[in-house]
Amino acid sequence: MKIVMDGFGGDNSPTEVVKASVMAVNEIKDLNIIITGKQAEIAKLLKEYDYNGNKIEIVNAETVISCEDENPAMQIKRKPDSSLVVAFDVLKQNEDVVALISAGSTGAVLTGGFLKIGRLKGISRPALAPTLPTKFDNKGVLLLDCGANADCKPINLVHFAIMGSIYYSTVYGVEKPKVALLNVGVEDAKGKELTKEAFAMLKNAPINFVGNMEAREILSGDYDVIVADGFSGNIALKTVEGTALFVLNGLKTAIKSSFWAKFGAMFMLKSFKKLKNKLDYKQYGGSLFLGCKKNIFKAHGDSKAESFMSVIRQAVNISKNNINGKIEEVLQTLEIEEN
Amino acid sequence: MKIVMDGFGGDNSPTEVVKASVMAVNEIKDLNIIITGKQAEIAKLLKEYDYNGNKIEIVNAETVISCEDENPAMQIKRKPDSSLVVAFDVLKQNEDVVALISAGSTGAVLTGGFLKIGRLKGISRPALAPTLPTKFDNKGVLLLDCGANADCKPINLVHFAIMGSIYYSTVYGVEKPKVALLNVGVEDAKGKELTKEAFAMLKNAPINFVGNMEAREILSGDYDVIVADGFSGNIALKTVEGTALFVLNGLKTAIKSSFWAKFGAMFMLKSFKKLKNKLDYKQYGGSLFLGCKKNIFKAHGDSKAESFMSVIRQAVNISKNNINGKIEEVLQTLEIEEN
């Protein structure tokens, strides 16, 4: 199994990408990794990490698409020699390369997925699908779409639901994942035109649809898959991030403002760390761009080697379990039923 | 100045409503309060709180609209003898009653506002506008609409922006409040059709429009007024609530799981309380239903007397400063300019 890593995406590239790649090929047998980016720099790092094997290959790419670039999404067309575009080319041109991982600009990764790889047969729109932490267990909740499609039609949400359900049941072994629709209230008739129409269609989709849910319950653990249009999903995702940071920073400030609090905090370092780990959704891997012909992962921009490793494990897992094949199978049945 | 309080809305009614009313008329001279609900019960509580003055009046209402009622919004039509509907009648029929406060069902309060009171002249849609805490100061950020209008047109967002800006500058004495559009990215061309069209119009509106902003920054303190369609605003608001609770509960669990952490926490009680107060947006008052002919406030469902007091102070402040008059004035200028 081969995957390709964008060697120069994210805040800690290329160092942490190369480090993770070495860790990964050592941990997972049958895994080969292609790293794209400046050949000499990557080769030097491989040497630093004492890697002499033949399971990591470098494909040279001279430039980088940066989040600071004006309109990073457009750079996909403008920078054919960038580490990300070269990675997409590697993914597209090699049948044995099954997944791409990049910690670069989300917009650029999504645009690359749309333009270079394309949709799965039968899927109206692919969706960006991160997993968020929840209260009760270590499975978390899959929230999609988180921003690939700002404007959605009801059928898009149905496809998100089917894809999310198959993903969740395959990855976590949950037989009938609870799929809910993100809405402004729990009653059936709630919401905007889009959610009202989607609700009716979701009731008849081949999923365990449990109805509407409110944003207050996203992290409650009561749901396995939450479906939203890309605009609303993005708002929810980023509000979770911003609020968690706000509360943790507030806690820090409150502690720092008092001698006794600082004293007490010394006894709580382990507990604070536990909490921080709980909130760190990088442990759940990256955001999968679900519904593309091949598996594309957006890793968090500030990923370190351990986080990249989570994404690599996730990529291997999904590819081995052939989730895309399962999705196409279900959609084919639907088409037959519709005729 | 007279305001009317729904005596039987919220989890802690009528006790805390009556308690707050007594506190309010004692604190604010020239304030009179009308409480709606079961006459005997309210009179008994007034006696308990030793109130013998003539600044509190009771208007009898036999029933209650409960959040457990099926479709509380529809109950506005079905329960004309409920404490909330009677409060709306008092507000509508008495020129000297300037505001209504209820901790009852949000849907019912909004429906009552729409049906019984109606829109300000020139306002296409009123908006639910709560104030959320921010990092740097005690002013907080006004987020609107948070759920009165699930589907919005660009002009609605422009009206939200103008109303929010006037509200914020009047209440907090900020000359040119920074107004931003909630979006999936900061670039001008970002977002869905609605936000793209609204963006162009907001640039020409009589406000200090600072552009698009991402949900991650809602609590950052970088913005004074954030404008959104009611669906997205509701998602953002409830995600803030859910995430804050999630983190605080996570902290509690982490502390409880260790002896030393529990020991350390004893020294941090004050700091924890400070943090909790910081996060408690009931201190900012209620959610104003901005753009109705009279001032309507939704207090938090679990409000106690102190929280009701914040809302009463807010209501008095807004009414004294004639925010509705200012809004109508600005909208009139706009119409003239358009001709």
Side-chain angles (χ1 to χ4, degrees), chain B residues 269-312:
Chain B
L269 294 180
K270 261 196 192 165
S271 297
F272 286 147
K273 206 172 169 193
K274 223 190 251 175
L275 175 65
K276 235 185 124 189
N277 284 343
K278 174 89 197 159
L279 296 175
D280 179 19
Y281 58 84
K282 289 201 284 290
Q283 64 178 302
Y284 295 99
S287 293
L288 175 56
F289 192 22
L290 194 54
C292 289
K293 275 187 196 141
K294 287 190 163 185
N295 298 314
I296 299 162
F297 294 88
K298 164 71 177 91
H300 227 264
D302 62 354
S303 292
K304 298 229 167 175
E306 264 309 332
S307 307
F308 278 119
M309 267 304 292
S310 304
V311 189
I312 293 171

Side-chain angles (χ1 to χ4, degrees), chain B residues 119-327:
Chain B
R119 292 169 289 144
L120 268 183
K121 205 184 150 197
I123 289 297
S124 53
R125 308 284 292 181
L128 192 64
T131 303
L132 305 184
T134 52
K135 212 182 294 181
F136 298 117
D137 54 38
N138 297 316
K139 295 201 292 287
V141 58
L142 191 76
L143 177 64
L144 77 170
D145 172 26
C146 277
N149 314 281
D151 285 293
C152 282
K153 295 187 178 128
I155 186 69
N156 305 145
L157 270 61
V158 174
H159 287 163
F160 300 165
I162 292 171
M163 294 193 294
S165 180
I166 292 172
Y167 171 91
Y168 202 91
S169 86
T170 308
V171 169
Y172 296 111
V174 174
E175 208 186 326
K176 289 182 176 177
K178 282 174 279 183
V179 182
L181 177 62
L182 183 63
N183 210 327
V184 297
V186 294
E187 299 91 341
D188 288 8
K190 272 277 171 181
K192 53 183 174 181
E193 289 311 318
L194 172 69
T195 57
K196 284 178 195 170
E197 284 179 43
F199 184 92
M201 293 168 77
L202 285 165
K203 278 208 305 193
N204 297 315
I207 50 168
N208 175 21
F209 180 57
V210 299
N212 290 322
M213 55 88 62
E214 292 192 77
R216 206 182 277 114
E217 307 299 326
I218 292 174
L219 309 178
S220 68
D222 293 344
Y223 309 99
D224 299 319
V225 177
I226 298 174
V227 175
D229 63 272
F231 192 91
S232 307
N234 187 280
I235 299 294
L237 174 69
K238 288 180 184 159
T239 306
V240 167
E241 292 176 358
T243 308
L245 208 67
F246 178 78
V247 178
L248 290 179
N249 284 340
L251 180 64
K252 230 183 256 176
T253 310
I255 290 173
K256 276 188 184 158
S257 68
S258 135
F259 168 79
W260 285 110
K262 269 187 275 187
F263 175 75
M266 293 192 319
F267 299 95
M268 301 177 67
L269 294 180
K270 261 196 192 165
S271 297
F272 286 147
K273 206 172 169 193
K274 223 190 251 175
L275 175 65
K276 235 185 124 189
N277 284 343
K278 174 89 197 159
L279 296 175
D280 179 19
Y281 58 84
K282 289 201 284 290
Q283 64 178 302
Y284 295 99
S287 293
L288 175 56
F289 192 22
L290 194 54
C292 289
K293 275 187 196 141
K294 287 190 163 185
N295 298 314
I296 299 162
F297 294 88
K298 164 71 177 91
H300 227 264
D302 62 354
S303 292
K304 298 229 167 175
E306 264 309 332
S307 307
F308 278 119
M309 267 304 292
S310 304
V311 189
I312 293 171
R313 283 192 205 103
Q314 188 186 12
V316 169
N317 186 0
I318 285 172
S319 305
K320 274 198 179 147
N321 282 297
N322 187 23
I323 286 187
N324 281 352
K326 288 179 188 168
I327 292 172

